[in-house]
Short mmCIF file of all heavy atoms in Angstrom, two decimals:
data_model
loop_
_atom_site.label_atom_id
_atom_site.label_comp_id
_atom_site.label_asym_id
_atom_site.label_seq_id
_atom_site.Cartn_x
_atom_site.Cartn_y
_atom_site.Cartn_z
N ASN A 56 3.91 26.40 20.34
CA ASN A 56 3.44 25.39 21.30
C ASN A 56 3.57 23.99 20.70
O ASN A 56 3.98 23.04 21.37
CB ASN A 56 1.97 25.63 21.68
CG ASN A 56 1.80 26.95 22.43
OD1 ASN A 56 2.78 27.52 22.91
ND2 ASN A 56 0.57 27.43 22.52
N LEU A 57 3.24 23.87 19.43
CA LEU A 57 3.32 22.57 18.76
C LEU A 57 4.78 22.12 18.66
O LEU A 57 5.11 20.95 18.93
CB LEU A 57 2.70 22.71 17.36
CG LEU A 57 2.45 21.43 16.59
CD1 LEU A 57 1.37 20.60 17.26
CD2 LEU A 57 2.01 21.77 15.15
N ALA A 58 5.64 23.05 18.27
CA ALA A 58 7.06 22.71 18.09
C ALA A 58 7.69 22.29 19.43
O ALA A 58 8.63 21.48 19.45
CB ALA A 58 7.81 23.90 17.50
N ALA A 59 7.15 22.83 20.52
CA ALA A 59 7.69 22.45 21.84
C ALA A 59 7.39 20.99 22.16
O ALA A 59 8.09 20.36 22.95
CB ALA A 59 7.09 23.36 22.91
N LYS A 60 6.35 20.43 21.50
CA LYS A 60 5.95 19.04 21.79
C LYS A 60 6.62 18.02 20.87
O LYS A 60 6.69 16.85 21.20
CB LYS A 60 4.43 18.91 21.58
CG LYS A 60 3.62 19.42 22.73
CD LYS A 60 2.25 18.76 22.70
CE LYS A 60 1.18 19.81 22.64
NZ LYS A 60 -0.10 19.36 22.22
N TYR A 61 7.02 18.46 19.68
CA TYR A 61 7.54 17.49 18.70
C TYR A 61 8.94 17.90 18.26
O TYR A 61 9.12 18.97 17.67
CB TYR A 61 6.61 17.43 17.47
CG TYR A 61 5.24 16.91 17.81
CD1 TYR A 61 4.19 17.79 18.08
CD2 TYR A 61 4.98 15.54 17.87
CE1 TYR A 61 2.93 17.32 18.39
CE2 TYR A 61 3.71 15.06 18.19
CZ TYR A 61 2.69 15.96 18.45
OH TYR A 61 1.44 15.50 18.76
N LYS A 62 9.89 17.01 18.49
CA LYS A 62 11.28 17.34 18.17
C LYS A 62 11.51 17.46 16.66
O LYS A 62 12.47 18.08 16.22
CB LYS A 62 12.23 16.30 18.78
CG LYS A 62 12.05 14.89 18.20
CD LYS A 62 13.11 13.94 18.73
CE LYS A 62 12.99 12.51 18.22
NZ LYS A 62 12.07 12.17 17.16
N GLU A 63 10.62 16.87 15.87
CA GLU A 63 10.78 16.90 14.41
C GLU A 63 10.54 18.30 13.83
O GLU A 63 11.04 18.63 12.75
CB GLU A 63 9.77 15.95 13.72
CG GLU A 63 9.98 14.47 14.01
CD GLU A 63 9.35 14.03 15.34
OE1 GLU A 63 8.69 14.87 16.01
OE2 GLU A 63 9.54 12.86 15.72
N ILE A 64 9.76 19.11 14.56
CA ILE A 64 9.38 20.42 14.01
C ILE A 64 10.47 21.46 14.26
O ILE A 64 10.88 21.70 15.39
CB ILE A 64 8.05 20.92 14.63
CG1 ILE A 64 6.93 19.92 14.35
CG2 ILE A 64 7.69 22.30 14.11
CD1 ILE A 64 5.59 20.28 15.01
N VAL A 65 10.91 22.07 13.17
CA VAL A 65 11.89 23.16 13.27
C VAL A 65 11.24 24.41 12.67
O VAL A 65 10.83 24.38 11.50
CB VAL A 65 13.18 22.84 12.47
CG1 VAL A 65 14.17 23.98 12.58
CG2 VAL A 65 13.79 21.53 12.94
N ILE A 66 11.12 25.45 13.46
CA ILE A 66 10.51 26.68 12.94
C ILE A 66 11.57 27.51 12.22
O ILE A 66 12.65 27.77 12.76
CB ILE A 66 9.88 27.50 14.08
CG1 ILE A 66 8.78 26.68 14.77
CG2 ILE A 66 9.30 28.81 13.54
CD1 ILE A 66 8.13 27.36 15.96
N ILE A 67 11.24 27.88 10.99
CA ILE A 67 12.19 28.65 10.17
C ILE A 67 11.49 29.95 9.74
O ILE A 67 10.39 29.88 9.15
CB ILE A 67 12.58 27.86 8.88
CG1 ILE A 67 13.11 26.45 9.21
CG2 ILE A 67 13.50 28.66 7.97
CD1 ILE A 67 14.58 26.34 9.42
N PRO A 68 12.10 31.11 9.99
CA PRO A 68 11.49 32.35 9.49
C PRO A 68 11.54 32.38 7.96
O PRO A 68 12.60 32.11 7.39
CB PRO A 68 12.38 33.47 10.07
CG PRO A 68 13.28 32.80 11.05
CD PRO A 68 13.36 31.35 10.70
N LEU A 69 10.43 32.66 7.34
CA LEU A 69 10.42 32.72 5.87
C LEU A 69 9.25 33.55 5.36
O LEU A 69 8.08 33.20 5.53
CB LEU A 69 10.32 31.29 5.29
CG LEU A 69 10.19 31.18 3.76
CD1 LEU A 69 11.37 31.83 3.04
CD2 LEU A 69 10.06 29.72 3.32
N ASN A 70 9.63 34.68 4.74
CA ASN A 70 8.64 35.48 4.00
C ASN A 70 8.81 35.10 2.54
O ASN A 70 9.86 35.36 1.95
CB ASN A 70 8.90 36.97 4.22
CG ASN A 70 7.87 37.82 3.48
OD1 ASN A 70 7.24 37.38 2.52
ND2 ASN A 70 7.70 39.05 3.92
N ILE A 71 7.78 34.51 1.96
CA ILE A 71 7.94 33.95 0.61
C ILE A 71 8.10 34.98 -0.50
O ILE A 71 8.38 34.63 -1.63
CB ILE A 71 6.79 32.97 0.26
CG1 ILE A 71 5.44 33.70 0.20
CG2 ILE A 71 6.74 31.79 1.22
CD1 ILE A 71 4.38 32.93 -0.57
N THR A 72 7.91 36.26 -0.16
CA THR A 72 8.09 37.29 -1.19
C THR A 72 9.43 38.02 -1.04
O THR A 72 9.71 38.93 -1.80
CB THR A 72 6.94 38.32 -1.17
OG1 THR A 72 6.95 38.97 0.11
CG2 THR A 72 5.60 37.68 -1.42
N ASP A 73 10.22 37.61 -0.07
CA ASP A 73 11.46 38.35 0.22
C ASP A 73 12.69 37.48 -0.10
O ASP A 73 12.99 36.52 0.62
CB ASP A 73 11.44 38.73 1.71
CG ASP A 73 12.72 39.40 2.15
OD1 ASP A 73 13.67 39.53 1.33
OD2 ASP A 73 12.80 39.79 3.33
N PRO A 74 13.40 37.81 -1.18
CA PRO A 74 14.54 36.97 -1.59
C PRO A 74 15.58 36.76 -0.50
O PRO A 74 16.13 35.65 -0.39
CB PRO A 74 15.14 37.74 -2.78
CG PRO A 74 14.00 38.54 -3.31
CD PRO A 74 13.15 38.91 -2.13
N SER A 75 15.85 37.77 0.34
CA SER A 75 16.89 37.55 1.36
C SER A 75 16.38 36.61 2.45
O SER A 75 17.13 35.78 2.98
CB SER A 75 17.40 38.87 1.94
OG SER A 75 16.44 39.43 2.76
N SER A 76 15.10 36.69 2.77
CA SER A 76 14.51 35.76 3.73
C SER A 76 14.57 34.33 3.17
O SER A 76 14.85 33.36 3.88
CB SER A 76 13.06 36.19 4.00
OG SER A 76 12.35 35.22 4.68
N ILE A 77 14.31 34.20 1.88
CA ILE A 77 14.35 32.87 1.24
C ILE A 77 15.78 32.31 1.31
O ILE A 77 15.98 31.14 1.66
CB ILE A 77 13.85 32.95 -0.23
CG1 ILE A 77 12.38 33.38 -0.27
CG2 ILE A 77 14.03 31.60 -0.93
CD1 ILE A 77 11.81 33.63 -1.66
#
Side-chain angles (χ1 to χ4, degrees):
N56 295 344
L57 190 67
K60 281 203 237 162
Y61 296 95
K62 64 174 179 9
E63 294 83 4
I64 301 176
V65 180
I66 300 177
I67 306 270
L69 176 59
N70 181 338
I71 64 161
T72 61
D73 175 357
S75 72
S76 168
I77 297 174

